[in-house]
Amino acid sequence: MTSLFTIYTANKYSLKIILMAVFLFSQLLTAEPYIAVRTGLKCSSCHVNITGGGKRTEFGNIFIQRYLSSNFVSSKGNVNFSPQLSRFISLGGNLRIRNTATYGYTHTDTAGTKTSAEAGNFLDITEGNIYLEVKLITDRLTFYIDQMVSPNPDNREAFGLLQGLPGRGYLKAGKILLPYGYRLWDDEIYIRESTGFTYSDPDIGLEIGFEPGNYSAVAAVTGNQVSAVASWVRTHYRLGLSWQKATDGSNINMIGIFSGFNAGRFTFLGEIDQIELAQKRNEAYFAEMNFLLIRGLNFKITYNLFNPNLEIPLGRDGQERITFGIEVFPIQFFQLALFYNLNSFIPQNLEFNQNSLGFEMHFFF
Amino acid sequence: MKNLPVINLISATIIMVFFPSCAGDGWGLDEYGNELDSLSAAPSDTNGTPPNVDNFEIIQNTIFNSICAIKCHKSPRPKKDLNLEDGESLNYIVNVPSEGKPLMMRVKPFDPENSYLVWKLEGRDGISGKQMPLNKTPLEDSQIELIKNWISMGALP
C-alpha cells in the first residue's frame, strides 16, 4: 500500500497537509471519545463494550451522574439512579432527537445558469437504543444485547463476552461493531462514513483483545474482513493505529492513525485514514478541539476533510466540513447540543454546500 | 507543560484558518466530483438492440435515486464503493464483481438469478450483510420484478 500520508508537493495545498500532520504528530494531538481523552480513561472504563459505545458500566453510570453534568438533581434519599434490575442484570439506553435546519445554496455556472438547493427543516430520532447486560459470571462471562428500537427496530449488537484471559484479554463473539479508529457517535463524520466503520455497519464475527497496562490491542475477524486497532493510552494523551483488510477478494483496504491529547480545559482529537478501493484511493481527515468552560458546558470545533480521489488534486475535488458546537449537560442523564455545520464541496454539487444548524436533545443512562 | 494549552490553541487556530479553503473548485468535474472525460459510457449494446431507455430510467428514478442514493450509495463516499446516482449507477453495477460475493457480478446481463443486486434486494440466503435497503422496508415485489426484467433484457442503459 502506498504511504499513508502522501504529501501533494505538486499542488498548493502541501502546506496545509503538512500542518495537519504537524498538528497530529508533534504534539500528539489528536464525539464522545473526547470524554475518554479528557479523563485519560480507556473506553472500557465506562462502556461494557470494551471498544466503546453502547451500555455504560457501573463506573460509567456513576460518572455521568456525578461528574459529567453541571448539576446533580437528587432523587429521594439522595441516592444515585441504578439501571440494575438485579445483581446480575442491568439495562442502558440512548435517545437522541435532532432538529436540523438546512440553508439554501445557489450555484451560478460559467454560462450564467443558476441552480439552487432549497432550505429545509427535518426532525428525526437519530438514535433510540436499549441495552441489556447479563453478567453470567461476574467479570468473566457476559451476555450483551444492543437493540435499536427507533427509528427502525433492528439489532445492532448481540454478543457473548469472555473476560479474564491472560494479558487482561477478552474474547467477544457474535454480532459486533468492528474496531477501527475513534468510535464517534456521528456516522456522517467523514472518517467514519468513508471507512464504513459506523454504528450502522455491525457484522457477525469474532473479536479478541488485550489491555495490559497502558496498552490496548484489538483484532476482529468476520466473513469478509479483518480489522485491528492498537493504542497506547496515557493520562493526558493517546496514540493509536487502525488497519483493515478485506478477505473476500474485493480490494478494500484501510489504514489509519488517531491520537488524542488533553491539556487543562482543552481536549484534542485527530484521525487520518487512507482507504484503498477497487478503482481509487481516498483519504479522510478529522481534527477536533473541545474546551470545557465549566463542568457540564463544552465548546467544540470539528474540522473534517475528505479527499475523494488521490488521483485528482485536492484543490479540485476536496470536501470539507467545519462544525461549531455547544454541548450542555445541565443535569444527569440529559444533554443539549447546538451545532452549526459549514459545508464546502465543489460548487456544482448543491447538497454538500448547504450549511445546517442542528439542535439535539439526548437522554441516556 | 504549562504553556501547552496556549500552544494547542494556536495550533488549532492555524489549522482552522488554513484549512477552510480546501474544498475543491470543481474544475473539470461533474457534480459528484468525477472527472468529466473519464465518465465512461455504460456498457455498449453489442447486439444492436435498441436500448431500453424507459425501463432503466424508471429504475434509476424511482428506486436508485429515491431510495438507494439518498444517503448511502452516493458520492463522494458511496457505501461499499457502490454509487447508484444518476449517471453513475451503471458503471458500478453492470459486470462489476460484488463485494459480498466477488465471484458474482452485481448485475450479470441477461441473468437476474445470478445477479448479486437481486440477491441483496430479495434478502436471499448467502448474501453478505443485510438485505437492502438497509433498515428500511424491502422493495415491493413489482419493483424487484422491474429490475429483474431489466437485467433479463440485457441490463441496457
Side-chain angles (χ1 to χ4, degrees):
Chain A
M1 181 178 285
T2 310
S3 166
L4 171 62
F5 307 113
T6 309
I7 304 298
Y8 302 98
T9 50
N11 71 51
K12 61 182 178 179
Y13 295 100
S14 304
L15 177 62
K16 293 166 186 177
I17 301 296
I18 292 167
L19 277 172
M20 187 73 175
V22 170
F23 183 73
L24 279 162
F25 293 112
S26 67
Q27 300 175 40
L28 289 175
L29 299 179
T30 56
E32 264 51 286
Y34 81 85
I35 296 173
V37 175
R38 180 174 285 160
T39 54
L41 298 170
K42 292 178 181 175
C43 303
S44 57
S45 300
C46 289
H47 292 279
V48 175
N49 190 345
I50 292 166
T51 49
K55 187 182 180 299
R56 285 114 194 140
T57 59
E58 287 159 34
F59 172 81
N61 249 298
I62 298 296
F63 181 83
I64 61 177
Q65 292 186 63
R66 294 288 185 170
Y67 299 101
L68 192 59
S69 60
S70 55
N71 297 292
F72 177 77
V73 179
S74 59
S75 304
K76 270 188 177 177
N78 197 27
V79 292
N80 291 328
F81 165 80
S82 171
Q84 290 190 280
L85 301 178
S86 75
R87 188 175 162 195
F88 302 108
I89 303 172
S90 58
L91 299 175
N94 274 302
L95 178 63
R96 294 177 193 269
I97 301 123
R98 185 191 294 176
N99 188 82
T100 306
T102 56
Y103 296 91
Y105 171 79
T106 300
H107 168 59
T108 307
D109 65 17
T110 49
T113 308
K114 286 187 176 180
T115 48
S116 298
E118 300 293 326
N121 194 72
F122 311 94
L123 183 61
D124 298 303
I125 290 180
T126 51
E127 185 181 30
N129 284 50
I130 292 287
Y131 315 116
L132 170 70
E133 177 193 14
V134 182
K135 292 179 180 175
L136 303 171
I137 305 172
T138 305
D139 296 332
R140 290 301 294 264
L141 193 60
T142 303
F143 175 88
Y144 181 84
I145 298 278
D146 174 344
Q147 188 70 23
M148 184 161 66
V149 292
S150 184
N152 299 295
D154 196 9
N155 175 249
R156 193 161 68 179
E157 286 192 295
F159 60 76
L161 176 65
L162 178 65
Q163 292 170 282
L165 302 183
R168 293 194 63 197
Y170 72 90
L171 187 67
K172 191 197 285 182
K175 189 175 183 182
I176 56 176
L177 295 166
L178 302 180
Y180 190 93
Y182 276 125
R183 186 159 288 166
L184 302 165
W185 63 266
D186 186 353
D187 282 352
E188 293 184 1
I189 284 181
Y190 300 164
I191 53 167
R192 293 288 68 87
E193 195 177 46
S194 60
T195 56
F197 288 93
T198 67
Y199 279 107
S200 56
D201 284 295
D203 207 346
I204 296 169
L206 192 68
E207 180 182 303
I208 187 164
F210 300 92
E211 296 203 303
N214 296 319
Y215 299 94
S216 173
V218 183
V221 182
T222 71
N224 54 18
Q225 64 178 318
V226 180
S227 74
V229 173
S231 56
W232 178 46
V233 180
R234 302 302 300 262
T235 307
H236 295 293
Y237 54 88
R238 66 189 61 202
L239 185 66
L241 290 168
S242 307
W243 172 83
Q244 180 270 357
K245 183 166 182 58
T247 56
D248 59 3
S250 60
N251 293 315
I252 299 181
N253 304 303
M254 300 169 207
I255 188 167
I257 185 167
F258 60 92
S259 61
F261 183 82
N262 189 68
R265 294 174 183 272
F266 289 93
T267 306
F268 298 86
L269 305 179
E271 181 174 328
I272 301 178
D273 297 294
Q274 186 176 89
I275 303 106
E276 189 174 272
L277 304 171
Q279 297 169 348
K280 61 184 176 183
R281 287 180 300 131
N282 56 48
E283 283 181 348
Y285 300 79
F286 168 80
E288 180 179 286
M289 181 180 74
N290 291 276
F291 175 66
L292 184 69
L293 183 62
I294 55 171
R295 196 167 87 180
L297 178 58
N298 184 62
F299 291 91
K300 186 191 292 284
I301 301 176
T302 303
Y303 181 78
N304 297 275
L305 176 66
F306 184 63
N307 188 349
N309 188 346
L310 299 190
E311 301 299 318
I312 300 174
L314 188 63
R316 286 175 58 201
D317 70 345
Q319 182 184 15
E320 68 182 7
R321 178 190 300 151
I322 303 171
T323 300
F324 304 91
I326 304 172
E327 294 174 307
V328 186
F329 298 88
I331 55 174
Q332 67 267 36
F333 309 122
F334 183 53
Q335 177 190 18
L336 292 169
L338 186 67
F339 291 96
Y340 185 78
N341 291 312
L342 202 58
N343 292 309
S344 305
F345 190 36
I346 54 177
Q348 57 267 44
N349 185 299
L350 303 179
E351 181 188 348
F352 288 111
N353 280 293
Q354 287 186 274
N355 297 332
S356 64
L357 180 67
F359 175 70
E360 186 174 271
M361 283 193 284
H362 180 202
F363 303 86
F364 57 98
F365 68 98
Chain B
M1 291 291 284
K2 197 176 176 183
N3 292 326
L4 274 174
V6 176
I7 294 168
N8 289 324
L9 184 59
I10 292 169
S11 304
T13 306
I14 290 170
I15 296 297
M16 299 305 166
V17 167
F18 273 80
F19 268 83
S21 59
C22 277
D25 58 17
W27 184 84
L29 306 175
D30 67 8
E31 64 178 301
Y32 306 115
N34 299 305
E35 294 268 23
L36 282 170
D37 55 6
S38 71
L39 290 176
S40 55
S44 59
D45 175 15
T46 52
N47 298 327
T49 313
N52 191 351
V53 173
D54 290 340
N55 210 8
F56 183 68
E57 271 192 7
I58 293 169
I59 292 168
Q60 182 67 54
N61 291 332
T62 62
I63 300 173
F64 292 170
N65 289 353
S66 310
I67 301 168
C68 315
I70 293 178
K71 285 192 75 173
C72 301
H73 295 291
K74 63 185 289 192
S75 296
R77 292 174 295 286
K79 288 260 185 184
K80 305 292 180 190
D81 196 26
L82 171 58
N83 190 337
L84 293 177
E85 288 170 317
D86 205 355
E88 297 291 328
S89 54
L90 286 169
N91 298 324
Y92 282 83
I93 57 176
V94 179
N95 286 322
V96 175
S98 68
E99 282 178 26
K101 291 178 85 71
L103 296 179
M104 279 185 81
M105 298 296 161
R106 285 170 171 162
V107 166
K108 187 178 180 187
F110 306 105
D111 193 355
E113 287 307 306
N114 287 302
S115 294
Y116 193 64
L117 176 67
V118 174
W119 284 39
K120 286 290 279 186
L121 293 174
E122 292 185 336
R124 293 189 188 185
D125 291 341
I127 61 172
S128 170
K130 293 179 179 176
Q131 182 178 6
M132 292 290 127
L134 186 66
N135 299 329
K136 288 182 180 174
T137 311
L139 295 187
E140 293 174 12
D141 290 346
S142 60
Q143 291 174 303
I144 295 175
E145 253 340 278
L146 186 68
I147 291 173
K148 289 166 96 170
N149 285 339
W150 167 69
I151 297 172
S152 300
M153 298 290 288
L156 300 169

